[in-house]
């Protein structure tokens, strides 16, 4: 009962704010953004503090792994059905081969824990329509495979046991379901697609009900006209999920408004609880700082564009651990979450490249994760040497240095009223670095000129105050 009261109150506050917002908006909308600004409830604060997540794309596509009838298809492996033009009946029969004998949810969760992620997003159902849980609304699921068991249940339990939140990816686009339509071009299309939307609504309610510890829903496959013409359905799904699972978080990619506008409504207001348009790209740290005004998440592949398991990673550039680490720091520095993708094989294990990346990033996070977790945009101008992050509710500024100036001098420009006090390497707290104010709100921090093999973190303490207008003596 208590949960229902809390839910009603939470919903009331969110939708009440939205009602106020709607009054002032230029275009009256019924299915647009339900509120403006960042959510500040505990669930969203936790989502925001997580910062680093593991994306997992796993389904029948992992079995062929980008190869069909002996031919390697370079496009995204989870699109092989389309790339290789595989008849649906043939593709769907892969269900009878799904038996991941190496799958061990606890082992996956331990690897994720060591990597330093605080959340994991799993594809419950990708575009192919195969469900990793025994849904009562379709036979096209693990229940119909030799494996039989509920994969989502095992993953939720194993990851939650490691203190890692679990979020569910759900593709509205469904190549398997007979009532799916890319567009609505006839009354028959309308009737069929209504049946599909009811099916998807029921599956989502089933997921939110049966896996109550799930913290967020990551929608995808909503770009077709059929969905854009059903903004009301997307609004109702968001509302239902927040009633069934109070505090649950929904990405902008679910939502279309009354006029089919996606992500941001016809008044430019972000829909859902965070912006999820950054896919395999990041906002520019100098020109795109507007993104710091709302919550957002970037999702990233290790190869150029493979979400599902692909047998041959030589077909494109494979990002190094350092490249991916810089993306994680870059994202945190702009107040976003970074969701790094892994594509397990059909047998349920990870390829060596992924395991190596998880180890290297995990080693760095083990030493410097405090500059990522619960950190945010510092509101400072980006410098060439790297990125700033700021610990929430603290006077702790982190400088994550990737590029070392041959002078050994790191330039820092502070906002008016921010005065630097002292600085030291995180793993050499006792050795204060020289901090010299060279002009109002301009400092130089002296570091030893040496070759650093990985990005280093300098922790800077500061206070709010007025600079005295003169250049203070160099502080040591
Ligand atoms: C995370 C990826 O998401 C996808 N598609 O992404 C998009 O639609 N991206 C997109 C679309 C519009 C705006 C911004 C990004 C899927 O097709 C792909 O297999 C993977 O699951």
């Amino acid at each position: 009962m208590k949960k229902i009261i809390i839910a009603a109150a939470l919903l009331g506050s969110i939708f009440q704010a939205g009602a106020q917002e709607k009054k002032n908006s230029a275009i009256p909308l019924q299915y647009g953004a339900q509120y403006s600004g960042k959510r500040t409830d505990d669930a969203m604060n936790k989502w925001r503090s997580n910062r680093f997540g593991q994306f997992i794309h796993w389904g029948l596509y992992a079995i062929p792994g980008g190869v069909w009838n002996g031919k390697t298809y370079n496009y995204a492996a989870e699109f092989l059905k389309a790339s290789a033009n595989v008849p649906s009946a043939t593709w769907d029969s892969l269900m009878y081969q799904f038996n991941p004998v190496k799958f061990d949810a606890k082992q996956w969760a331990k690897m994720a824990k060591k990597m330093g992620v605080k959340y994991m997003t799993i594809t419950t159902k990708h575009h192919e329509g195969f469900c990793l849980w025994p849904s009562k609304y379709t036979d096209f699921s693990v229940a119909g495979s030799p494996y039989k068991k509920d994969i989502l249940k095992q993953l939720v339990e194993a990851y939650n046991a490691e203190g890692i939140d679990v979020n569910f990816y759900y593709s509205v686009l469904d190549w398997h379901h007979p009532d799916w339509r890319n567009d609505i071009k006839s009354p028959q299309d309308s009737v069929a697609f209504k049946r599909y939307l009811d099916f998807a609504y029921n599956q989502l309610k089933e997921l939110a009900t049966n896996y109550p510890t799930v913290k967020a829903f990551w929608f995808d496959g909503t770009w077709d006209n059929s969905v854009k013409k059903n903004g009301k359905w997307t609004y109702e799904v968001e509302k239902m999920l927040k009633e069934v699972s109070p505090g649950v978080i929904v990405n902008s990619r679910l939502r279309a408004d009354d006029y089919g506008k996606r992500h941001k409504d016809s008044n430019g207001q972000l829909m859902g609880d965070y912006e999820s348009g950054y896919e395999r790209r990041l906002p520019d740290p100098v020109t795109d700082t507007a993104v710091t005004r709302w919550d957002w998440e970037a999702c990233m592949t290790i190869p150029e564009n493979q979400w599902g398991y692909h047998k041959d990673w030589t077909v494109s550039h494979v990002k190094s651990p350092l490249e991916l680490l810089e993306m994680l720091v870059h994202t945190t520095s702009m107040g976003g979450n970074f969701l790094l993708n892994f594509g397990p094989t059909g047998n349920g294990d990870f390829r060596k490249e992924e395991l190596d990346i998880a180890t290297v990033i995990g080693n760095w996070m083990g030493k410097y994760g405090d500059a990522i977790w619960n950190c945010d945009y510092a509101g400072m101008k980006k410098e060439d040497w790297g990125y700033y992050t700021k610990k929430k509710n603290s006077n702790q500024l982190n400088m994550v240095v990737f590029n070392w100036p041959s002078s050994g001098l790191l330039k820092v420009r502070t906002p008016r009223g921010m005065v630097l006090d002292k600085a030291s390497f995180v793993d050499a707290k006792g050795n204060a670095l020289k901090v010299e104010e060279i002009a109002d709100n301009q400092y130089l921090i002296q570091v030893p000129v040496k070759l650093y093999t990985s990005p280093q973190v300098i922790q800077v303490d500061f206070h709010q105050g007025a600079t005295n207008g003169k250049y203070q003596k160099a502080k040591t």
Side-chain angles (χ1 to χ4, degrees):
M1 186 54 188
K2 190 161 174 292
K3 266 181 88 167
I4 293 170
I5 294 167
I6 295 170
L10 185 67
L11 268 173
S13 63
I14 290 175
F15 288 94
Q16 177 57 35
Q20 177 56 35
E21 186 59 24
K22 268 207 291 265
K23 270 206 215 84
N24 310 329
S25 57
I27 304 168
L29 296 171
Q30 279 191 284
Y31 312 120
Q34 294 306 301
Y35 66 92
S36 63
K38 294 182 183 178
R39 267 176 55 176
T40 54
D41 55 288
D42 291 349
M44 197 71 202
N45 287 338
K46 176 62 172 64
W47 180 92
R48 190 176 300 120
S49 73
N50 287 343
R51 286 300 176 229
F52 184 25
Q54 177 188 35
F55 212 166
I56 296 179
H57 275 71
W58 202 28
L60 300 180
Y61 44 78
I63 298 170
V67 179
W68 197 261
N69 291 337
K71 182 175 186 307
T72 298
Y73 291 79
N74 295 350
Y75 193 60
E78 70 282 1
F79 273 82
L80 183 64
K81 178 179 185 290
S83 324
N85 207 8
V86 180
S88 290
T90 307
W91 185 269
D92 294 354
S93 68
L94 285 170
M95 174 170 77
Y96 302 112
Q97 295 178 45
F98 188 76
N99 190 15
V101 292
K102 290 188 179 169
F103 173 56
D104 178 339
K106 290 186 179 131
Q107 202 178 33
W108 286 20
K110 285 188 181 353
M111 166 193 141
K113 179 76 176 183
K114 279 196 290 193
M115 179 163 57
V117 298
K118 296 287 187 183
Y119 70 104
M120 181 274 281
T121 301
I122 174 74
T123 51
T124 62
K125 181 190 82 155
H126 202 260
H127 309 335
E128 67 182 6
F130 180 69
C131 302
L132 294 187
W133 82 102
S135 172
K136 69 181 181 191
Y137 298 101
T138 177
D139 297 333
F140 194 45
S141 80
V142 281
S145 77
Y147 183 71
K148 296 219 178 307
K149 289 175 286 186
D150 184 343
I151 283 176
L152 293 190
K153 183 172 186 295
Q154 295 176 75
L155 287 172
V156 168
E157 287 173 356
Y159 276 75
N160 285 177
E162 293 290 341
I164 299 172
D165 292 338
V166 174
N167 302 337
F168 280 169
Y169 165 112
Y170 184 88
S171 172
V172 177
L173 168 60
D174 187 321
W175 296 327
H176 172 82
H177 198 287
D179 290 328
W180 167 264
R181 295 290 183 280
N182 293 327
D183 200 353
I184 312 298
K185 294 212 167 93
S186 68
Q188 293 76 10
D189 281 347
S190 244
V191 169
F193 198 60
K194 169 76 172 67
R195 281 197 302 266
Y196 176 74
L197 292 178
D198 289 347
F199 159 80
Y201 185 95
N202 289 332
Q203 281 206 317
L204 288 161
K205 189 164 188 174
E206 180 182 47
L207 287 169
T209 306
N210 296 351
Y211 307 91
T213 66
V214 166
K215 295 290 182 286
F217 280 81
W218 205 103
F219 286 90
D220 193 19
T222 53
W223 52 78
D224 285 306
N225 283 338
S226 52
V227 181
K228 292 200 281 193
K229 288 173 179 172
N230 282 279
K232 181 182 178 194
W233 179 83
T234 72
Y235 160 85
E236 286 171 344
V237 163
E238 175 179 5
K239 195 159 175 287
M240 174 273 291
L241 290 174
K242 292 182 173 178
E243 283 162 356
V244 171
S245 186
V248 85
I249 291 155
V250 164
N251 67 335
S252 60
R253 210 178 279 196
L254 161 67
R255 298 282 278 101
D257 74 357
D258 313 48
Y259 301 98
K261 284 279 288 158
R262 296 183 62 228
H263 291 274
K264 293 186 177 180
D265 69 19
S266 304
N267 294 311
Q269 285 288 346
L270 181 69
M271 295 184 279
D273 299 306
Y274 69 92
E275 210 261 292
S276 61
Y278 287 100
E279 181 182 308
R280 296 182 294 117
R281 66 188 177 93
L282 300 182
D284 182 282
V286 176
T287 58
D288 291 335
T289 51
V291 75
T292 62
R293 292 203 300 263
W294 53 85
D295 283 307
W296 61 281
E297 178 192 63
C299 56
M300 192 57 66
T301 50
I302 297 174
E304 189 50 47
N305 183 12
Q306 296 296 339
W307 297 95
Y309 171 72
H310 195 293
K311 286 175 179 159
D312 181 359
W313 269 16
T314 62
V315 296
S316 81
H317 171 67
V318 175
K319 299 174 191 75
S320 69
L322 187 60
E323 279 178 277
L324 294 165
L325 192 54
E326 179 158 0
M327 291 179 182
L328 167 61
V329 174
H330 173 163
T331 302
T332 305
S333 79
M334 297 188 79
N337 282 8
F338 186 68
L339 188 60
L340 179 59
N341 185 70
F342 288 72
T345 70
N347 281 331
D349 55 4
F350 292 99
R351 64 191 324 133
K352 186 178 178 316
E353 298 95 327
E354 290 176 332
L355 295 171
D356 293 349
I357 279 167
T359 302
V360 173
I361 292 180
N363 290 341
W364 192 88
M365 288 298 283
K367 288 198 279 186
Y368 307 117
D370 258 0
I372 302 293
W373 301 312
N374 207 17
C375 286
D376 211 325
Y377 173 57
M380 295 168 70
K381 291 185 179 66
K382 165 103 175 54
E383 305 291 357
D384 291 343
W385 44 258
Y387 304 85
Y388 294 111
T389 71
K390 182 176 169 301
K391 185 63 77 181
K392 188 177 164 75
N393 299 332
S394 83
N395 280 356
Q396 179 199 320
L397 177 71
N398 300 302
M399 297 167 60
V400 189
V401 187
F402 288 82
N403 312 311
W404 300 90
S406 52
S407 64
L409 296 173
L410 300 175
K411 184 170 85 173
V412 176
R413 289 172 287 173
T414 58
R416 187 178 300 283
M418 178 179 179
V419 181
L420 301 194
D421 294 320
K422 60 184 171 47
S424 59
F425 280 105
V426 159
D427 36 22
K429 282 273 180 69
N431 311 340
L433 298 172
K434 182 178 163 190
V435 178
E436 184 180 3
E437 186 178 12
I438 55 169
D440 275 353
N441 297 104
Q442 280 207 38
Y443 297 82
L444 289 176
I445 296 179
Q446 176 95 49
V447 293
V449 179
K450 65 172 236 183
L451 186 66
Y452 297 88
T453 53
S454 74
Q456 301 293 304
V457 178
I458 294 170
Q459 196 166 350
V460 185
D461 297 338
F462 65 90
H463 71 273
Q464 297 300 334
T467 48
N468 59 19
K470 287 194 290 304
Y471 308 143
Q472 295 157 13
K473 273 199 169 314
K475 294 182 197 169
T476 53

